[in-house]
Structures are given as structure tokens and as C-alpha cells.
Amino acid sequence: MARFSSYVAKQANADGFIRYTDEEHARWQTLMQRQYEVLPRYAAPVYLEALERLQIPQDHIPQCAEVSARLLESSGWRVVPVPALIDFAGFFEMLANRQFPAASFIRSAQEMDYLEEPDIFHEILGHAPLLSDPEYASFVQAYGAAGCRAKPEQRVWLARLFWFTVEFGLIQTDAGIRAFGAGIVSSRQELVYSVVDPGVERRTFDVIDILRTPYYIDILQPIYYVLESLDQLFELTQRDLIPLIKTARTLGLEALPCDRRRA
Ligand SMILES: [Fe+2]
């Protein structure tokens, strides 16, 4: 989560409607076109099926209410516009209540591939589709509930689990490793890089290992974790994450991985 934003949040009107300019809708269309050129090849089938289910418009920025209507049917989740970056406590509480906080602005033309903070394109194309998958959705809710129970000093450890799964997770498929994390599937550059780059370290999914692994928010990830299936996330809903954090803290953080700046 970035500490400073150069973007201004879009305010909803009394009906909850957020107005975007023609230029912003055109930027969305360009972003969708760029991403749809690479998604079928590099994104996981489970994500692509969820994307199909959600029927996200390609020619204009959808309202969160439209997306929520489809999510509510399949998993009881909603995407809720938030005015700006929110703190850990607010974030966890929303997830625990099946509400995904969505930044409302859209990135500038200068940051089409990646920006350090979430925008509406990342939230809707990246996060919303898999929230329609009941098992995945249960994991995100359980994660939020764990965050609500965690002490402030435990939350930064918990954040790594979200980072390496929901944001930057990879998964084994019949066709090989593919991406499902929101940060990857909403970035054209990282979607290709994470799946094919020979210099990337792709580790077997291990919760304690994940909790102990630092990450960067401003570079292409040097390390990803690969799930065998989304069942592994669902299995975590049956476990108490707090003792896992305590174990990870006892073992300590790993050294920072090597630095790969974005091109
Ligand atoms: Fe995100």
C-alpha cells in the first residue's frame, strides 16, 4: 500500500454514481485491449473463467454497483468505492464483511502498465473476477477476519500472505504455470514476465515461507509462489492464521531478494 498518492479520488454523487470523462473511458478501453491481447495466453483458466462470468465492459469504466450485482449473485461479495488509500484496520474489516475496497480513479496515460497504488482498472480487472469464485472468496473473507483479530505488529506479516497470493499469485495448470494474482493480471508487462522469465524464482506455496518473505512494491517481483490449486487457499480458511504469524516471527524475515527495476 503506497503511503502517498499523486492521484485524486473520484467522488460518487448522492446515488453512488461516479462520473468519468470520455478521455478516462477511452483510457480504460485501451487498457482492456492491451490486457486482452495477453490474458488468454498467460492468465490461469480459473481466472479467465471468472472474468467471463463477470462480463466486465471493455468500452467504458463500469460502476462498482454493476460489478457488485454479479458478484452478489455468485459469492455475496461487493466492490465498494473508497475515497483514497485506507488503513489496515479499515481494509481488513471490509474484507471480513465481503466488501472489496476499490480505488475509484484511473491511472494516467504515463502509467499504463503499472502503478504502485491500486486504480479502478486494477481493482475491477484484477480483483473482481476471482471474488466470484466461492472458495477464493471465502479465503479473502477469512483473511480479512484474521486481520481484524491480529495485533497491529502482526498485520504487516499477514500482508505478505495477501501479496503473494491475491496480488501476485501464480498457479499450476495443465498448460504450465499461469497467473491469477490481481497485480499480475492487471499489468501487461508483469503478466508475461511472471510466467516466462527464466530469471524469476517460482517457489512452491508454503504459508510460513510466504509470511517470512519481503516484497517490493516498485519493481517486477523477483519471487513468486505457485499454488497447486485454489484449494490450498480454501484450506487456509480452516486454519487460524495468528499462530502461523507467531511461528514466522520466531523464525524471522528472510533477506531481501535481488532488485529488478521495472523497465
Ligand atoms: Fe490490489
Side-chain angles (χ1 to χ4, degrees), residues 113-130:
D113 200 66
Y114 182 81
L115 62 168
E116 292 178 19
E117 58 197 293
D119 73 337
I120 188 72
F121 180 70
H122 167 80
E123 312 284 32
I124 300 297
L125 187 78
H127 284 291
L130 274 174

Side-chain angles (χ1 to χ4, degrees), residues 100 118 122-123 127 162 166-167 182-183:
F100 199 89
H122 167 80
E123 312 284 32
H127 284 291
F162 194 86
V166 174
E167 293 289 2

Side-chain angles (χ1 to χ4, degrees), residues 35-47:
Q35 215 58 14
Y36 268 74
E37 286 170 8
V38 285
L39 280 170
R41 166 72 181 82
Y42 300 102
V46 69
Y47 167 83

Side-chain angles (χ1 to χ4, degrees), residues 184-196:
I184 306 179
V185 298
S186 60
S187 164
R188 184 182 169 109
Q189 182 189 13
E190 190 144 6
L191 180 54
V192 180
Y193 161 88
S194 66
V195 171
V196 305

